[in-house]
C-alpha cells in the first residue's frame, strides 16, 4: 500500500486508500512526532510519498525510505484528481492555496506554473487574531468571526465618498483597518477584530488571484487550503469578492488535502 503526506508549515495532511476509499487525516505540524508514530503504527510496510516544506524534516522521524516530490506539482495533481472525482472539469484556471502563507499558480492542462504569492495567509489570520483579540485557536476564530461587525474597523469606499456618487461600488473596502484612526473612540469587540482580520486575508488573496487571472486570461479561480475549513466567513468573503471582480470562484472540498493526494498518486 501507499501513503501520501503533505508536511506543511502548520498541518500535516495524510491521504491513503482503504478498500478503494480515499481516507484523509490531519495532524498539527507541532506534533510531528505523533504523526510519525501514526505512520509507524499503521503503515509499517507502506510506500511513503511525501511533499511539503517540512517533508525532509519529517523523513528523519520514520525508518521508511520515502519519495519526496515538489509541493506545487503534487498540489496541482491532487486538485485535478479532486476536480475529476467530483465531476468538474476546468481547462485552465488560477489555483490559490491559502495555507500558512498563500501560493498562487496558473494551471493549464496538467501543468502548473507558479505565478507568485503573498505572505498574507492562514498564518496571518492566526497571528493577527492573537495580537488584536487574544484569540489564538483556529476553532475559536471561525466561531467568533460571524458575530463580528467590520463597520467600525474597515473603511469602505462609501465612507470616503460620503455624500457623493463613488466611481466604483461603495461597498468595496477602501482601506482594511482604515476606520480605526478615523473613528478612534468607536467600540470594538474581539469578534469585530477577527471578522476584520478575515476580511483582510480574504480580500488580499482574492485581489492577488484576480491579477493572476487577468495576466493569464482565465476566469476561473480555484481556492484551497486549510484556512477555508469550517471558515464560512473566509469562504463568503472570497466567493463574493471574486465574483465582484468578474471571475468565477470555486472553493474545492477537501482541497487542503491536494498536496497529500497528489503525492499519493505520483510516481
Ligand atoms: P504551507 O502550505 O504554507 O506550508 P500548510 O500546508 O500547513 O502551510 P494549510 O494546512 O493549508 O497550510 O493551512 C494552514 C492554516 O489553516 C492555518 O494557518 C490556519 O489558519 C488554518 N487552520 C485550519 N485548521 C487548523 C487547525 N486545526 N490548527 C491550526 N490551523 C488551522
Ligand atoms: Mg500547504
Amino acid at each position: 500500500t501507499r501513503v501520501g503526506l503533505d508536511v506543511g508549515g502548520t498541518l500535516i495532511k495524510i491521504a491513503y486508500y482503504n478498500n478503494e476509499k480515499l481516507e484523509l487525516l490531519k495532524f498539527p505540524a507541532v506534533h510531528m512526532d505523533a504523526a510519525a508514530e501514526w505512520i509507524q503504527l499503521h503503515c509499517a510496510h507502506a510506500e511513503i510519498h511525501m511533499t511539503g516544506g517540512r517533508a525532509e524534516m519529517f523523513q528523519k522521524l520514520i525508518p521508511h525510505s520515502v519519495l519526496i516530490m515538489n509541493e506545487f506539482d503534487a498540489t496541482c495533481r491532487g486538485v485535478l484528481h479532486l476536480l475529476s472525482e467530483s465531476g468538474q472539469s476546468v481547462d485552465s484556471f488560477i489555483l490559490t492555496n491559502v495555507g500558512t502563507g498563500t501560493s498562487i499558480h496558473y494551471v493549464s492542462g496538467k501543468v502548473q506554473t507558479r505565478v507568485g504569492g503573498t505572505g498574507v495567509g492562514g498564518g496571518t489570520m492566526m497571528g493577527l487574531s492573537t495580537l488584536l483579540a487574544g484569540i489564538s485557536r483556529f476553532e475559536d476564530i471561525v466561531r467568533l468571526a460571524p458575530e463580528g461587525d467590520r463597520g467600525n474597523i474597515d473603511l469602505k469606499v462609501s465612507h470616503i465618498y460620503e455624500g457623493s456618487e463613488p466611481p466604483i461600488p461603495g461597498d468595496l473596502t477602501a482601506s482594511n483597518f482604515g476606520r480605526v484612526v478615523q473613528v478612534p473612540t468607536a467600540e470594538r469587540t474581539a469578534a469585530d477584530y477577527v471578522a476584520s482580520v478575515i476580511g483582510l486575508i480574504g480580500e488580499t488573496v482574492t485581489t492577488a488571484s484576480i491579477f493572476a487571472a487577468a495576466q493569464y486570461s482565465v476566469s476561473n479561480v480555484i481556492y484551497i487550503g486549510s484556512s477555508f475549513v469550517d471558515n464560512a466567513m473566509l469562504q463568503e468573503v472570497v466567493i463574493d469578492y471574486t465574483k465582484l471582480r468578474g471571475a468565477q470562484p470555486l472553493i474545492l472540498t477537501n482541497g487542503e488535502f491536494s498536496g497529500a493526494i497528489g503525492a499519493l498518486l505520483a510516481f
Side-chain angles (χ1 to χ4, degrees), residues 130-244:
T130 302
L131 285 175
L132 295 173
I135 297 164
S136 51
R137 286 178 45 201
F138 180 78
E139 307 85 82
D140 295 336
I141 294 169
V142 299
R143 182 160 29 83
L144 199 59
E147 295 168 25
D149 176 6
R150 299 176 59 186
N152 278 325
I153 297 178
D154 296 318
L155 193 71
K156 288 183 176 198
V157 167
S158 58
H159 288 132
I160 297 183
Y161 276 80
E162 200 181 342
S164 327
E165 194 56 42
I168 53 175
D171 237 12
L172 280 174
T173 306
S175 176
N176 295 85
F177 287 87
R179 202 154 167 80
V180 172
V181 291
Q182 299 208 344
V183 193
T185 55
E187 264 188 46
R188 299 176 180 94
T189 65
D192 299 344
Y193 283 122
V194 294
S196 286
V197 165
I198 289 177
L200 167 73
I201 285 138
E203 289 164 11
T204 303
V205 303
T206 302
T207 299
S209 304
I210 292 298
F211 284 139
Q215 189 180 334
Y216 285 91
S217 305
V218 295
S219 58
N220 292 293
V221 182
I222 297 182
Y223 295 93
I224 60 169
S226 307
S227 305
F228 292 106
V229 176
D230 298 325
N231 194 345
M233 184 162 181
L234 186 68
Q235 295 186 21
E236 190 184 311
V237 170
V238 163
I239 295 273
D240 291 353
Y241 211 59
T242 303
K243 286 182 183 163
L244 187 72

Side-chain angles (χ1 to χ4, degrees), residues 23-95:
E23 305 277 359
L24 305 168
L25 62 146
K26 276 178 203 172
F27 288 89
V30 288
H31 298 310
M32 220 179 244
D33 46 340
E37 210 167 286
W38 189 91
I39 294 285
Q40 301 245 48
L41 210 60
H42 297 88
C43 324
H45 304 290
E47 193 179 313
I48 310 275
H49 294 180
M50 285 208 269
T51 193
R54 299 196 169 193
E56 285 184 28
M57 192 190 287
F58 187 82
Q59 181 184 17
K60 300 197 175 92
L61 302 179
I62 54 174
H64 305 66
S65 75
V66 308
L67 289 164
I68 294 190
M69 78 177 292
N70 172 282
E71 173 177 358
F72 304 145
D73 293 331
T75 302
C76 174
R77 194 178 187 117
V79 165
L80 294 173
H81 176 80
L82 287 171
L83 279 175
S84 84
E85 285 293 290
S86 59
Q88 302 172 90
S89 96
V90 192
D91 278 351
S92 56
F93 53 90
I94 293 300
L95 174 64

Side-chain angles (χ1 to χ4, degrees), residues 6-26:
D6 174 6
V7 191
T10 306
L11 295 169
I12 299 169
K13 276 75 67 180
I14 301 179
Y16 61 97
Y17 280 103
N18 181 15
N19 293 325
E20 297 185 17
K21 183 179 178 292
L22 185 61
E23 305 277 359
L24 305 168
L25 62 146
K26 276 178 203 172

